[in-house]
Amino acid sequence: MFPAPLSVLQTLVNGFMDRTFLIGIAISMRRITIGYGISVIAGILLGLLIGRVKLLDETVGSLVLGLQTLPSITWLPLALLWFGLNEKAIIFVVIMGAVFSITIGTYSGVKGVPPLYLKAGRNMGAQGYQLFLQVIIPAALPSIVVGLKQGWSWAWRSLMAGEMIFASLGLGFLLMMGRELNDMSQVIAVMIIIIIIGLVVEKLIFAKLESNLYERW
């Protein structure tokens, strides 16, 4: 039930040679790019609004905190009812998996902006969107980046869970095909690919972003 390392290596080689893994990676990356991109825009905007508007903080803020504790895969039944067995359902699950983490990270950053920064910004003439762009967002950026990083992790996990539920190609589908065919070498090989992609994104994007941010601060 546990494959030999050489068997897994051979499966990896064969999967890339016949382009099975390449196609799965391309499909999964397209889905995560779309879903995570929408989550970033929606999450940051919602977090900024909740953090600055008291009425939204007292109403929507509590709802967001509650929804963030909900496992993202529980949105899949609704997604299937609303969108059917198609790409939109999986992307919806990815969005719901990531958007609340990003929202909470942004909200925490906005709430943590020292009032002195806001007073100084207003005294120097920053009002409205200028206050957001030149004072609030830069001051909240460390927390926003943490939220983006957490959102990516949840989005990636949500994508794999969604792809495993029904036939949709992608890496999650290849993982389940390995199980259906009792091919443990393929299962482990796909797991290795998923881990490597996660590490590459972490090291090439978020690690550099955090490093540059801390150096800037």
Side-chain angles (χ1 to χ4, degrees), residues 65-82:
L65 288 173
L67 291 175
Q68 201 271 335
T69 63
L70 192 65
S72 56
I73 196 61
T74 58
W75 291 100
L76 188 60
L78 285 176
L80 295 178
L81 288 173
W82 290 343

Side-chain angles (χ1 to χ4, degrees), residues 20-213:
T20 300
F21 290 160
L22 291 176
I23 294 173
I25 292 172
I27 292 174
S28 292
M29 293 308 296
R30 185 187 72 228
R31 290 169 177 159
I32 194 72
T33 300
I34 296 172
Y36 183 68
I38 295 173
S39 299
V40 169
I41 297 172
I44 290 178
L45 290 176
L46 186 58
L48 290 173
L49 289 173
I50 295 175
R52 294 297 298 166
V53 180
K54 184 177 180 181
L55 178 61
L56 292 177
D57 186 12
E58 295 174 348
T59 54
V60 180
S62 300
L63 178 62
V64 169
L65 288 173
L67 291 175
Q68 201 271 335
T69 63
L70 192 65
S72 56
I73 196 61
T74 58
W75 291 100
L76 188 60
L78 285 176
L80 295 178
L81 288 173
W82 290 343
F83 303 108
L85 292 171
N86 55 41
E87 197 90 351
K88 294 179 181 179
I90 297 179
I91 292 175
F92 176 79
V93 173
V94 172
I95 293 172
M96 300 309 292
V99 69
F100 299 119
S101 295
I102 299 172
T103 299
I104 291 173
T106 304
Y107 167 82
S108 300
V110 172
K111 282 295 186 181
V113 175
L116 184 61
Y117 290 3
L118 301 176
K119 292 179 181 179
R122 291 190 182 99
N123 288 337
M124 298 175 70
Q127 296 291 337
Y129 75 92
Q130 288 182 330
L131 194 66
F132 271 99
L133 295 179
Q134 298 179 11
V135 180
I136 295 175
I137 292 179
L141 206 51
S143 293
I144 293 175
V145 171
V146 171
L148 292 175
K149 188 175 179 180
Q150 292 178 343
W152 157 258
S153 299
W154 284 109
W156 190 234
R157 296 169 189 171
S158 302
L159 175 65
M160 293 301 108
E163 289 183 343
M164 289 171 63
I165 297 299
F166 61 89
S168 58
L169 301 179
L171 292 174
F173 171 72
L174 294 177
L175 194 66
M176 289 303 294
M177 282 299 297
R179 185 192 71 83
E180 294 289 341
L181 298 174
N182 201 27
D183 185 354
M184 293 305 295
S185 295
Q186 178 167 319
V187 171
I188 301 299
V190 175
M191 290 173 65
I192 291 173
I193 293 172
I194 293 171
I195 292 172
I196 290 174
I197 292 175
L199 290 175
V200 168
V201 172
E202 163 67 24
K203 297 300 181 182
L204 293 184
I205 298 179
F206 291 108
K208 289 187 176 181
L209 182 61
E210 288 180 329
S211 177
N212 293 336
L213 179 62

